[in-house]
Structure formats: structure tokens, C-alpha cells
Amino acid sequence: MALYATAASVLAGVESRRGSIKGLVYASSFQNVKQLYALVCETQRYSSVLDAVITSAGLLRAEKKLRPHLAKVLVYELLLGKGFKGGSGGRWKPLLDRHQARLKAELARLKVHRGVSKNEDLLQVESKPGPASQVPRFVRVNTLKTCCDDAVDYFKRQGFSYQGRASSLEDLRALKGKCFLLDPLLPELLVFPAQTDLHDHPLYQAGHLILQDKPRACSACQASCLPAVLLAPPPGSHVIDACAAPGNKTSHLAALLKNQGKIFAFDLDAGRLASMATLLARAGVSCCELAEEDFLAIPPSDQRYRQRLVYSTCSLCQEENEDVVRDALQQNSGTFRLVPILPSWPHRGLGTFPGAECCLRASPETTLTGGFFVAVLERVEVPSSVSRAEAPAPPPEAAPRRKRRRRAAAPGVPPRTEQEGKR
């Protein structure tokens, strides 16, 4: 079945740091995004349990053509998920049927060894969690619907202890129980202990809180708040979000704009745009215009690029980050420059070209966030004394299309014509 093969591919991509679960799930083009996302998240959550069962049962030794990530997904579905009902297992069901008794026996033996009776209890006696599972839960207060003080008061009435603004990463690492902090760097960002589940919280359901990732997934909220904050569009600006779905950064931009101005949000996937429309409506966004269109088809000479551009990815791969920025600067020599940002941020761009230290990187180990990359580019102002003929001319063609995982936004856009607005 395509579901299991795709889930295995996403798992392999996450482990090799080609991107986040969410980014790779949406990039897969699998139709049922929610089903795929849930399967990958739960398989990853039980990863070490599944590894132990698969190894003890000798599954990979017996089935040499079965790849490890696919084996993990299939065994999760068999033992811990919904099981293979009807023809849902496709050609893999007969293979799993041959090993079903041994796999179930090894899972039972593991429970006895660890002194637990429920599958969920196996997660409580795991060995020391890795860095990603120690990432705090970052939650952005949606200022289109409430304010930070009111959100803090609400949590305090629920029995949470507010510790004020954090002064260092050590304060975030020390968070436990029902305590929470204000982020030391970003405004309107609350920080809760790792694995805090707020998905069913009434403030989230009402659109007053924005969760960048679902509970138990790698939380990239702090890092993914950076693009909008670094772009810093004043109210009334026109902003382009070039690869906008599922819409968390778009809603952040709308909050910074106070719904005054315009956001042109592009995405090629109609399904993702539909989901995005629902999210934006819940968040109270009224200044956004959605466009099912390839933003990269727009010529670089278009005046919508005229001021500042933020390029960000949920990836740690050099070829998707520093290499893209370097190529963009070379192809537009004299037109754009890198802007130094957040000098106090500890994790900088890889030194693969002069100025790369202006970029930001984020990771669980160094910044207690998910993997992320941000670069800010600004159009170089041409002195008024320089004639148009002497000014650097942008290249005549659009840049080659790259992976959708990246995000870009540019403020200061002149108002669109009616024809442009309908595109």
C-alpha cells in the first residue's frame, strides 16, 4: 500500500535530517495528509520499542528484501496501530502474517521484561530521550484574538505556575510540571515543558494559541516564528508568502500586520490551501489572499521583490540552505545582500561562502528548537545618481524551481491590480 511506503520514506528523511516530519509529509504529495502524518508520528514515537521487537523476532534477517524503515511502519500498524483490515496491508500483509506470532510474542516478552502491561507504558521506561524529545513546547499567542497577558492569566487560573521571562536556555531546560515561561527572545511566545499536550486546549481550539507542530512531534515553533519576526513588516505592508501552506507563518505575519495591509499567499497544492483557509479563519486572519500558483514562475524583476526577502527551511541540509542562498546571491549579483540578524543567536550559518554567518541555524542540541534555517536578504538600493542603464539588471528568467519546503516573504509590495489579485 502506498501509505506504508510513503511513511517509510518520510521516516528515512527525518532520520537523515532532510527535513521535519511535517515538511516531508506535505512534500510527499500523499493525498490523505492527516493519516500519513499520524502514522509517521506514532511510528517514530514507538521507534525504540519497534526496533527491539524487530531485532528480537529476526524479521530483517528472515526477510532480506524488507527495508528497515518500512519494517518499522508495518510492525507498528500490526502490533500498535489499527492492524491490517481487509486489503489494507496490500502485498505486505502475507509477509507480516508469516511473522505475526513471533512479533506478538516478542512484544509481550518486552512488556514482561520492563514490568508493564500496556503498550503506552513502554514509553515511560525508555532509555534517556534524545535531544529532539527534550525540546520545550513553544506556543505563540495569537494577538489577533487575545494578548499575552490574558493568555498567561488564563493558564494561571488553570493551575499553571508562570515563571516570567526566561533569561537563558538553561531556564528552558529546567522547565518541569505545570510551569511555563515567556521566551527570552521572541515576544508573545510561551514556553512549556517538553511533551506538554495543548492540542485539545480551549485556547488553541478557539484560535487564541498557535501550535506550529502537533503534540509529541518535533516542536519547531520558536525557530519557525523567526521568519515573520525577522521580516518585521509594519502594519499596512504588502507581504508575499511564497510557499504558504499550512499557514502558521502566514497567521503570524497577519498578527504582526494587525490585519492591516495585504498578504499574498502562494501554494501549488489545492488541498493544502483549503486546510490553510480553515486555519486562517480560526485565527481571525482577514488580510490574506490565497493563490493556487507557482510563485517561482514570477520573474525576479517583478517589483514585488523590491525590498526584503526572508528565506527559511525546516531542514539542516546545506544544499537546501547555504547553497541556495549562495546561488541566489551569485545569480543576482549586486541586487541583493545578506542582512546580519540576531547577533546573539548561538547557531550561525555554515561558513561555505563569505557572509554565511549572517544566516541562522537552529537545532535541538544548540537552541532547543526543531531543525531550521533562516536568511534575510535585502535589495541593494541604487543611488539616484546612477542611471537605469548603469543599475544592475536582474536576470531575465525565474530561478529554477526548488523543493516546496522553503518559505519566503517580501514586504513593501505595491498594491496589486485587479487582474493580479484574481490570479
Side-chain angles (χ1 to χ4, degrees), residues 199-399:
H199 192 253
D200 295 323
H201 195 278
L203 288 185
Y204 169 71
Q205 297 289 348
H208 291 206
L209 301 179
I210 304 294
L211 309 180
Q212 304 296 105
D213 287 277
K214 289 190 176 181
R216 300 192 188 99
C218 175
S219 175
C221 183
Q222 187 198 38
S224 61
C225 283
L226 287 172
V229 169
L230 294 175
L231 188 67
S237 298
H238 284 195
V239 181
I240 292 173
D241 195 344
C243 189
N248 289 311
K249 295 182 187 66
T250 316
S251 69
H252 194 183
L253 287 166
L256 293 176
L257 291 172
K258 300 179 181 179
N259 265 340
Q260 300 170 24
K262 195 74 171 180
I263 301 173
F264 300 101
F266 291 78
D267 204 278
L268 280 173
D269 191 301
R272 295 181 70 194
L273 279 176
S275 298
M276 179 177 173
T278 301
L279 182 150
L280 295 181
R282 185 174 65 190
V285 175
S286 61
C287 63
C288 186
E289 179 181 306
L290 304 185
E292 186 185 341
E293 187 178 353
D294 185 358
F295 177 71
L296 293 179
I298 298 174
S301 57
D302 192 298
Q303 283 300 300
R304 285 174 284 188
Y305 283 108
R306 73 179 187 182
Q307 285 191 12
R308 176 173 282 209
L309 177 88
V310 171
Y311 175 80
S312 65
T313 74
C314 48
S315 167
L316 294 176
C317 299
Q318 176 186 322
E319 60 267 28
E320 295 185 81
N321 298 326
E322 287 86 358
D323 289 358
V324 172
V325 173
R326 179 201 61 208
D327 291 349
L329 290 170
Q330 289 176 351
Q331 292 171 18
N332 297 273
S333 178
T335 305
F336 285 92
R337 68 178 183 90
L338 269 175
V339 179
I341 49 177
L342 293 183
S344 61
W345 190 263
H347 198 180
R348 315 304 299 187
L350 302 178
T352 56
F353 65 93
E357 67 278 1
C358 294
C359 307
L360 303 185
R361 280 177 161 262
S363 68
E365 298 86 353
T366 58
T367 55
L368 288 183
T369 68
F372 217 78
F373 173 87
V374 188
V376 178
L377 297 95
E378 219 169 44
R379 180 177 286 277
V380 176
E381 292 295 331
V382 179
S384 56
S385 59
V386 179
S387 69
R388 281 181 181 241
E390 295 172 321
E397 297 180 359

Side-chain angles (χ1 to χ4, degrees), residues 140-152:
R140 178 167 60 83
V141 177
N142 179 14
T143 54
L144 292 176
K145 286 200 164 184
T146 187
C147 67
C148 197
D149 289 343
D150 287 351
V152 168

Side-chain angles (χ1 to χ4, degrees), residues 76-188:
Y76 168 80
E77 188 76 315
L78 175 68
L79 300 182
L80 307 170
K82 297 180 179 179
F84 300 115
K85 298 177 181 178
S88 65
R91 66 191 181 95
W92 301 113
K93 188 176 185 300
L95 184 150
L96 269 294
D97 284 345
R98 293 198 296 269
H99 301 275
Q100 183 173 172
R102 173 63 66 84
L103 289 166
K104 289 184 175 180
E106 292 300 336
L107 178 63
R109 187 174 292 112
L110 185 63
K111 289 180 182 177
V112 172
H113 177 71
R114 296 187 178 181
V116 300
S117 59
K118 299 179 181 178
N119 294 335
E120 187 80 16
D121 293 339
L122 287 168
L123 300 175
Q124 306 303 317
V125 292
E126 294 283 80
S127 57
K128 185 178 179 181
S133 63
Q134 296 302 297
V135 171
R137 162 55 66 192
F138 295 96
V139 180
R140 178 167 60 83
V141 177
N142 179 14
T143 54
L144 292 176
K145 286 200 164 184
T146 187
C147 67
C148 197
D149 289 343
D150 287 351
V152 168
D153 287 342
Y154 190 99
F155 279 109
K156 288 164 69 174
R157 291 196 300 270
Q158 287 192 316
F160 284 83
S161 175
Y162 178 55
Q163 306 294 306
R165 184 179 293 277
S167 60
S168 66
L169 288 179
E170 293 307 316
D171 291 344
L172 305 187
R173 288 192 179 95
L175 274 176
K176 292 182 180 179
K178 297 188 72 173
C179 296
F180 70 108
L181 292 157
L182 192 63
D183 186 79
L185 183 63
L186 301 178
E188 288 89 39

